[in-house]
Amino acid sequence: FFFSFFQATPKPELINFVRCHNNYFLPNAATSNNHDIGFQLSKSPSLNSYFAKLSSILSTMSPPVSTAGPIAKKPRTTGTTKKNENDEIPVPEITQLDYVSLTSHADAFGVDPIPISWGHPDPLVRGPVICTVRHSSQRNAIGAHSGSYCIYTGLAVAAGKLNPDYVPNLKLTSPVFNIGPHKSWTDPKKIASIDPFGHIVTEAYAGYLDKGFDIRPTIAVTKAHIDLPETREAVKSGRLVPDGKILLPTGQSIVSKAAVEPVWYLPEIARRFGCTETVLRQSIFRMTNGMYPELITRPDIKIFLPPIGGLTIYIWGDPDTIPDDDIELTCRVHDECNGSDVFGSDICTCRPYLTHAIEECIKTAQRGGCGIVIYYRKEGRSLGEVTKYLVYNTRKRQEGGDSAENYFACTEKVAGVQDTRFQALMPDPLHFLGVKKIHNFISMSDMKYNAIVSTGIEIVNRVEIPKELVPDDAQVEITAKVFHGYNAGEAYKGIDENELKKTKGREYGYDQNTKKNLVE
């Protein structure tokens, strides 16, 4: 194979091939740096020796390589990237590799990412986010589209069900209602975890798409009917009155909604978390077991599409009223809880608080205002559902049973930390929508409140969950949260240390059942 390749390849191209890819074939101190990741063919001494000799021979066929710096990048104005005279959009380079590249480097030959000027109001000047597999040399983002679901895309390719070169037909996918642009889109301190132009790719980057670039939307905007049993019950009891516009006689409510994938601008993400960009990159690289080597080898790329869940925005009423701070706005930012939200587990207040927020959003919209629920995929305080269930077991098995007094300590005992949501990125979708003032914030969380107001959004009223909606086994949670400072109204007054110690959760007798099964 190698003999045929060398025989068929012109000498200048062959020389460049060996020089530019020596980190794959010669992974040693003389030819690679600490960040090079290769195929580790050095494990075969004879093959390593062969390529060393080949490199030495080829070096005599052309002028020596300067040791002053890396090989210059391929200029955009030559070859396949020649620009048309009537625009500034380069011609796309389609990746066609017959080998696996484990990483790329900023100064490597041929690497020429499309520039990104994060925060620029003009989408063309800002530049499109390119993170598809078709344009390796021009890609300007680390990671992959679809968050954690990108793994399923790989499975589809492996199973032969998806052509890796497939480009989606986006002709009929444009938003069904308008969002923005807003002034907040130009401020990285307000938006750094989503792409504010992610929903208008077909409009803003039509020129790129026409030339053959594979650019994917990271936001999809549509409409739907929401059918909840709690809403139907509210109609039946008279708490909600159908108007035929926001709420139908069937109990269905009509919403506008947007699905959002995370797109991180790393310099601002680092600033929000109080660390350097280098520390941020190294920490993510380390804790993902080296999943994204380009976090280390590509400091020139500032955009990262992380493998995490995104968020969904639900809007009741007219979205165009959202930026008007004189029009009433009700909002809840809700973090995913599959057990409660979907299956009705009563160990927490998640579903009842969510459905209460939806009811308040409907009422606000019927008064001429607007209601927003932002649903984040942050299962188990972003620790995951497995960790959450391990915490549940710890709570129920601890000495003295499940108690409000040890509610937060149990999570820290299992996970090493109480919460990894942090909320530093949480306000971004509010700024994407143009929110300036929230009249009714349906949340008791000080972390969420502080994160939002610190970015310049005013919150007028904070609305706690009605006490009658708290499930029996969730008394532990609500008592612990109120005692430790969660914002609570009149209904929760009187929760003191005494109440904290005496509030207990349901007992399941896990250990007794386990011992019984072992005996049997």
Side-chain angles (χ1 to χ4, degrees), residues 224-266:
H225 284 46
I226 302 295
D227 194 350
L228 289 172
E230 288 87 346
T231 306
R232 294 198 301 270
E233 188 276 329
V235 170
K236 186 177 179 180
S237 68
R239 294 198 313 272
L240 287 176
V241 180
D243 61 349
K245 182 180 179 182
I246 304 297
L247 182 63
L248 302 180
T250 59
Q252 291 180 317
S253 61
I254 300 173
V255 299
S256 305
K257 62 180 184 177
V260 183
E261 291 179 5
V263 178
W264 288 5
Y265 178 57
L266 292 174

Side-chain angles (χ1 to χ4, degrees), residues 266-267 269-271 273-283:
L266 292 174
I269 302 295
R271 186 198 69 79
F273 282 88
C275 65
T276 65
E277 185 183 337
T278 298
V279 168
L280 176 67
R281 288 170 176 264
Q282 290 176 350
S283 299

Side-chain angles (χ1 to χ4, degrees), residues 207 344 385 394 509:
E385 198 166 30
T394 300

Side-chain angles (χ1 to χ4, degrees), residues 121-260:
D122 185 338
L124 283 177
V125 176
R126 201 293 302 268
V129 173
I130 300 177
C131 200
T132 49
V133 299
R134 287 175 58 81
H135 315 294
S136 294
S137 64
Q138 295 164 307
R139 181 170 49 83
N140 56 21
I142 299 166
H145 285 283
S146 301
S148 58
Y149 295 105
C150 65
I151 303 301
Y152 289 99
T153 304
L155 289 177
V157 172
K161 302 296 184 181
L162 176 66
N163 183 343
D165 295 325
Y166 178 77
V167 178
N169 183 343
L170 302 175
K171 184 177 179 182
L172 302 178
T173 64
S174 60
V176 300
F177 66 93
N178 184 58
I179 300 178
H182 301 293
K183 186 179 179 181
S184 52
W185 292 13
T186 66
D187 186 353
K189 291 184 178 180
K190 289 182 167 57
I191 297 182
S193 63
I194 62 179
D195 178 8
F197 300 112
H199 61 308
I200 53 173
V201 164
T202 55
E203 175 187 341
Y205 303 113
Y208 281 86
L209 295 172
D210 289 343
K211 282 196 170 183
F213 274 96
D214 184 5
I215 303 172
R216 308 286 175 93
T218 55
I219 300 175
V221 179
T222 189
K223 291 193 174 186
H225 284 46
I226 302 295
D227 194 350
L228 289 172
E230 288 87 346
T231 306
R232 294 198 301 270
E233 188 276 329
V235 170
K236 186 177 179 180
S237 68
R239 294 198 313 272
L240 287 176
V241 180
D243 61 349
K245 182 180 179 182
I246 304 297
L247 182 63
L248 302 180
T250 59
Q252 291 180 317
S253 61
I254 300 173
V255 299
S256 305
K257 62 180 184 177
V260 183

